[in-house]
Amino acid sequence: MPIDEADQLLVSQIKAGDSDAWAELIARFEGRLLAFVNSRLRNAASSEDVVQETFLGFLISLPNYDPATPLESFLFAIASHKLTDLLRKQGRRPTIPLFPDEKGERENHREPAGHARVASSLARSKERKSKEEQIICESLQELILSWIKNGEYERLQCIEQLFVSGKANKEVALQLQISEQSVANHKHFVVGKLKDAIKTAQIHDADLQGLGLS
């Protein structure tokens, strides 16, 4: 069943690089996606990360989006994929809880902080990392929208393979049938833009390695 006209228009506007349309998409679906993901994870911070990755995944997949697929179904399919990936990384089976109030053992076990790091220090560290990741996410969203608008699909595909799939330059070059130098150039361009965004936000001593930008 094709998506309705309002969704078709919204997708067309996003493809054209309309930031207002992008904001409308987030406003419409963010709450539902968060509720869906958090019902599986029971962790607000992790759920927010998955939803951010879902929206980024939507942008990356936008050039290949099939209008026959309802927009909501497409977004929830991406969210399910991201959720499954996270659960696998955590060593947990990607299953749906049997009961709404079911709690995993993870909530009854917390790794104690080292003596050198008090709770306030850990909180500040987590808050700063969250801010760094938010800036990276927002910057990537802007870049991806501009690439879609300008038809820069090689760069879009390259960055998807490097940053999302975590592939090496040589592997990406073979897959996209371009030179390793072209891959390196795309990576250098994007990393530079993201570093500039962090500097503009006046975040000092950012964990560039942890963010994958070193």
Side-chain angles (χ1 to χ4, degrees), residues 78-92:
I78 296 173
S80 296
H81 176 72
K82 300 294 183 183
L83 178 60
T84 299
D85 283 347
L86 177 62
L87 292 175
R88 284 173 177 165
K89 288 177 183 177
Q90 293 177 344
R92 292 161 52 195

Side-chain angles (χ1 to χ4, degrees), residues 35-208:
F36 165 70
V37 174
N38 197 45
S39 70
R40 275 70 174 173
L41 292 180
R42 303 300 175 86
N43 183 295
S46 296
S47 297
E48 289 173 1
D49 289 342
V50 170
V51 171
Q52 281 193 339
E53 290 180 10
T54 297
F55 284 123
L56 282 176
F58 169 76
L59 281 177
I60 290 170
S61 305
L62 195 54
N64 301 316
Y65 177 69
D66 182 2
T69 304
L71 184 54
E72 183 174 12
S73 299
F74 188 63
L75 284 167
F76 274 83
I78 296 173
S80 296
H81 176 72
K82 300 294 183 183
L83 178 60
T84 299
D85 283 347
L86 177 62
L87 292 175
R88 284 173 177 165
K89 288 177 183 177
Q90 293 177 344
R92 292 161 52 195
R93 294 181 63 191
T95 56
I96 299 174
L98 294 176
F99 303 100
D101 293 330
E102 182 180 7
K103 296 181 182 295
E105 291 182 0
R106 68 190 182 280
E107 293 188 1
N108 297 322
H109 174 75
R110 285 182 170 79
E111 183 179 351
H115 293 297
R117 300 190 70 195
V118 296
S120 60
S121 175
L122 287 171
R124 287 195 300 271
S125 177
K126 183 176 181 181
E127 181 181 355
R128 186 178 70 173
K129 183 178 180 181
S130 176
K131 185 176 181 182
E132 291 171 357
E133 291 176 345
Q134 181 181 357
I135 291 169
I136 293 298
C137 183
E138 291 174 352
S139 299
L140 275 174
Q141 289 172 352
E142 292 178 4
L143 286 171
I144 292 171
L145 281 172
S146 69
W147 297 336
I148 292 172
K149 182 179 181 180
N150 297 325
E152 299 179 66
Y153 298 122
E154 179 181 287
R155 176 165 285 170
L156 180 63
Q157 292 175 318
C158 183
I159 296 308
E160 177 186 13
Q161 296 301 320
L162 288 171
F163 289 90
V164 178
S165 300
K167 296 180 180 178
N169 287 17
K170 184 176 182 179
E171 188 177 0
V172 175
L174 287 172
Q175 181 171 338
L176 300 182
Q177 295 296 298
I178 59 178
S179 68
E180 286 188 54
Q181 185 60 53
S182 294
V183 174
N185 290 342
H186 288 315
K187 183 176 182 180
H188 178 76
F189 172 81
V190 174
V191 169
K193 289 289 187 181
L194 297 180
K195 285 183 176 180
D196 288 344
I198 288 177
K199 289 179 181 178
T200 301
Q202 297 183 340
I203 296 179
H204 304 291
D205 300 323
D207 182 12
L208 298 179

